[in-house]
Amino acid sequence: MPRSDARHTSGGGRRTARRAARAARRDARARRRWPRRVGLTALALVLVATGVVVSGVADPVVAPVAEPLRRAAEDAFDSVSDSVTGSLPGASQDEDPTDPLAVAAPAALGLTTPTPAAVPAEPVTDQPVDAAAVRRALRGPLAADVLGPHVSVAVADLDGDLALSRGGAAIPASTTKLLTSASALRLVGAGTTFSTTTVLQGRRVVLVGGGDPLLASSPVDDDTWPARADVVTLARRTAATLVRDLADAPAGRRTLRVGYDDTLFSGPGFNSTWPLGYRGEVAPPTSALWVDEGSSLTGSGYSTDPAADAATVFTAALRDALAAQARTGQVRVRLVGSASPVTSTQAAATLASVESAPVGQLVERLLQVSDNQVTEVLLRHVGLAARGTGSIAAGLAGVRRVLTSLDVPLPRRQEDGSGLSRRNRIDPRTFVGLLAAAADSDEDDPLRGLFPGLPAAGSTGSLTYRFADAPAAAVGHVRAKTGTLSNVTSLAGVALDADGTPLVFALLADRVADVDELSARDALDRAAAALGACACGG
């Protein structure tokens, strides 16, 4: 497994040159800089102080809250010369059991906020972060004995200038998903979708996996978000095409077999750095072809051969669809035998296809609910985009390419995309550098797609039931990606302090005692909440 020990110091490389150039231009840009910072702060305000993203919301439950928020936000941002909100994809609360009406709206937008709700901070202009105030805010929460002997922390402003950094690399757990998500957005593209297709190759119908991580075994409800393609719909479309194209064929040519092709991804399906006990219990082998994220057809655990299981489900659905066609008087097409693995050729005629949700929506979902399977599939797509190979190694190379292009410190060691590996070692500066780069990016940069997926403290996703004992005024000011393994807890995201100063942060503790795991998680919640409650603007 390729590893990288390359690291950039916070003052090295292109980031140093960029900061020097920024400093040289600071006085000349003084009159022009504040609108951009107001825009960035307004973005942080909307993303942190609410659980609803201000653009593109289609969900009928969320829309009554999101639409007036969106309109008011657009009015407010129209007066800002360098608005930063235009490219954010729509958010959804389908994975969130909390009523969106319980999420506080920014007071600056003049909207009615249901009670109880945290009071969001007013945004400020170009205000530096007070490093001493950050240290004071975190001193108590991070000194908790339950966090164990190794706690790593980094806090920075939206320019990436560090206010606090200590502890070094640690096991990051699922905060690793931020790196994979950013790389997928940048290299694969937020609007990219993945096709699952069927082709006719000789007398065999071949199901070709395109790496759709959410391909379903049957049609899902229309209000499911993101939308799912499914193999039953694909089977029905395939049957209709077969019946049409083989209507005049001899009976012998209307007897077909089924094959399946999962060769889009390469290399081992199961990450060698994961404990063997994960196989079938925590994760399936990553495959370009599966249904229901590789869940076992028995309904318990995960499949050890998800592509074969997907083909089994598809074959049964295709038989049913062909029988239904025959009952309507159409020509009879028969399937014989069971599905077997094959490699499709470019010469094979396409029969039908279904499309996945776009990458931007997949990223939003995987960050909200910390979806390991979706993340590992996207890592393979990063590998295809970076090196033309859908392997773990190629995917990790793509992650390093993206981080290097952003002048973000590289992981000391990264073995997977989801953070399940206990061999990962990542400095918290990597996470704050990435989040700062996303905030500092152009408004049409796909990196902006990181922010809608960050769970809101006490409101959405994996933070829905957390921050219970945090200061009430801070709860609405934090959005972050969670991370949990045995003896490991982590949190990385963005906080808006009491003065309206946006901060990016990463908190990692990787030597937590078994009995202290829940208490350690609460301690990190209190630390993040302390950033939201502090007056850290200089």
Side-chain angles (χ1 to χ4, degrees):
M1 184 74 59
R3 301 169 187 161
S4 174
D5 289 321
R7 293 184 291 275
H8 298 277
T9 63
S10 58
R14 284 173 285 179
R15 185 175 289 275
T16 296
R18 192 168 66 209
R19 286 178 177 164
R22 184 189 295 124
R25 295 193 301 267
R26 187 162 289 153
D27 290 340
R29 295 173 58 197
R31 290 187 177 181
R32 294 188 297 113
R33 184 177 174 83
W34 74 266
R36 180 179 176 280
R37 176 52 65 90
V38 171
L40 285 172
T41 307
L43 171 63
L45 178 64
V46 172
L47 291 176
V48 175
T50 78
V52 181
V53 177
V54 300
S55 64
V57 177
D59 187 281
V61 176
V62 180
V65 175
E67 183 59 19
L69 177 60
R70 180 190 65 78
R71 289 196 299 267
E74 288 178 347
D75 292 340
F77 292 169
D78 281 343
S79 64
V80 178
S81 64
D82 192 12
S83 173
V84 296
T85 61
S87 64
L88 292 177
S92 169
Q93 305 297 326
D94 287 338
E95 298 295 337
D96 169 27
T98 303
D99 186 344
L101 293 174
V103 181
L109 300 183
L111 302 179
T112 300
T113 298
T115 55
V119 179
E122 294 288 343
V124 298
T125 56
D126 192 7
Q127 182 136 293
V129 174
D130 184 339
V134 169
R135 289 193 297 272
R136 285 194 300 271
L138 295 179
R139 185 178 296 127
L142 294 186
D145 290 339
V146 295
L147 289 173
H150 187 216
V151 180
S152 294
V153 56
V155 181
D157 63 16
L158 292 188
D159 288 324
D161 294 321
L162 289 166
L164 177 63
S165 176
R166 71 167 189 251
I171 301 173
S174 284
T175 50
T176 305
K177 292 180 173 71
L178 287 167
L179 310 187
T180 310
S181 296
S183 302
L185 291 168
R186 263 291 178 93
L187 294 182
V188 183
T192 299
T193 60
F194 309 120
S195 300
T196 305
T197 61
T198 52
V199 299
L200 185 61
Q201 189 165 297
R203 291 174 57 188
R204 191 181 299 270
V205 176
V206 182
L207 173 64
V208 183
D212 178 354
L214 293 181
L215 184 68
S217 59
S218 60
V220 298
D221 294 338
D222 290 341
D223 59 354
T224 299
W225 192 95
R228 268 71 156 171
D230 69 272
V231 293
V232 171
T233 298
L234 180 60
R236 290 168 179 166
R237 293 176 182 177
T238 301
T241 303
L242 287 171
V243 167
R244 182 196 67 203
D245 292 352
L246 298 178
D248 298 327
R253 286 189 55 202
R254 297 200 302 270
T255 299
L256 307 173
R257 293 182 178 272
V258 174
Y260 63 93
D261 182 350
D262 64 344
T263 59
L264 179 66
F265 297 162
S266 58
F270 196 82
N271 193 299
S272 63
T273 70
W274 294 348
L276 288 178
Y278 282 8
R279 188 186 296 269
E281 296 296 327
V282 176
T286 302
S287 175
L289 176 63
W290 66 23
V291 291
D292 303 336
E293 300 191 56
S295 296
S296 172
L297 296 185
T298 66
S300 175
Y302 289 98
S303 172
T304 57
D305 192 350
D309 283 357
T312 297
V313 175
F314 169 78
T315 301
L318 182 58
R319 279 200 173 96
D320 290 345
L322 290 171
Q325 290 278 352
R327 287 194 296 272
T328 65
Q330 302 294 325
V331 65
R332 185 172 184 82
V333 178
R334 297 177 57 248
L335 295 182
V336 295
S338 57
S340 58
V342 298
T343 300
S344 60
T345 66
Q346 291 186 344
T350 299
L351 296 171
S353 65
V354 289
E355 294 291 322
S356 74
V359 166
Q361 292 182 11
L362 297 176
V363 164
E364 185 174 344
R365 181 185 189 276
L366 79 85
L367 291 175
Q368 277 283 325
V369 302
S370 203
D371 193 311
N372 295 316
Q373 281 63 255
V374 171
T375 309
E376 292 299 334
V377 168
L378 287 185
L379 181 70
R380 304 302 183 104
H381 284 294
V382 169
L384 287 167
R387 288 190 170 182
T389 303
S391 66
I392 297 170
L396 295 175
V399 171
R400 292 193 295 273
R401 178 196 293 185
V402 169
L403 296 179
T404 299
S405 73
L406 297 171
D407 296 312
V408 171
L410 298 180
R412 192 172 83 187
R413 181 171 182 170
Q414 184 180 358
E415 301 285 6
D416 67 5
S418 61
L420 285 174
S421 176
R422 301 187 69 88
R423 295 188 188 179
N424 293 332
R425 295 294 186 275
I426 302 179
D427 194 294
R429 293 178 304 157
T430 297
F431 297 112
V432 300
L434 176 61
L435 291 166
D440 195 46
S441 62
D442 293 336
E443 62 182 77
D444 59 349
D445 193 309
L447 278 180
R448 289 296 177 85
L450 284 178
F451 293 111
L454 292 179
S459 299
T460 64
S462 58
L463 288 181
T464 299
Y465 300 109
R466 291 177 56 170
F467 285 71
D469 61 349
V475 171
H477 289 204
V478 176
R479 292 191 75 153
K481 179 68 194 79
T482 56
T484 304
L485 289 172
S486 298
N487 312 113
V488 178
T489 186
S490 60
L491 204 59
V494 58
L496 198 69
D497 82 350
D499 292 331
T501 302
L503 306 167
V504 288
F505 68 88
L507 311 168
L508 293 79
D510 64 354
R511 297 181 192 171
V512 177
D514 292 345
V515 297
D516 291 331
E517 288 180 343
L518 292 179
S519 298
R521 187 190 70 178
D522 292 341
L524 286 196
D525 290 352
R526 287 192 292 272
L531 292 175
C534 80
C536 291

